[in-house]
Amino acid sequence: MKKAAVYVANRLWVIIAIYLTSIVIAAEMFSVFEAKSFADGLWWAVVTALTIGYGDLSPATVPGRITGVFFGHFWIFGIIPMIVANIIVKLLEDKNAFTHEEQEWQEDILTDIAKKVGVKTQETPPDY
């Protein structure tokens, strides 16, 4: 389960797909429960997901209100943190960092050069 969550959180396209799918599902549920058009449901879902909440459309039925509570929490505590985490990871990722293999190769080469020129390395502790 943890690997799936990391996979999703690290791929913006997956987050966007989940978001758009949930918008369509919420819009359809709202339109059915509240006897409104799909366009009204879509408007309500987007306004709710973005936490704008104009109040021009709000659920009046119990199933509509449960839908609103569920999707409101889903977007706030599910989708938004994944988007923020994705942005932070992209900003903090060091694209110039050496891989482990590159670091090992550099260490081997430098150790070889140090031995050839007679410089002591960590493998040969200095004299104190």
Side-chain angles (χ1 to χ4, degrees), residues 59-75:
T61 65
V62 172
R65 289 178 177 175
I66 291 171
T67 299
V69 168
F70 173 78
F71 280 106
H73 283 84
F74 172 74
W75 291 315

Side-chain angles (χ1 to χ4, degrees), residues 90-108:
K90 298 293 183 213
L91 289 174
L92 296 179
E93 184 179 9
D94 186 2
K95 304 269 188 218
N96 298 315
F98 290 111
T99 65
H100 179 71
E101 291 79 19
E102 290 171 326
Q103 291 176 8
E104 292 290 325
W105 178 81
Q106 289 173 347
E107 184 179 359
D108 292 342

Side-chain angles (χ1 to χ4, degrees), residues 2-3 13 16 29-31 43 47 49 51 59 67 84 86 94 102 117:
K2 185 177 178 183
K3 287 184 181 183
W13 68 270
I16 291 170
M29 290 175 73
F30 181 85
S31 67
W43 172 254
V47 168
T51 68
T67 299
V84 170
N86 189 279
D94 186 2
E102 290 171 326
V117 296

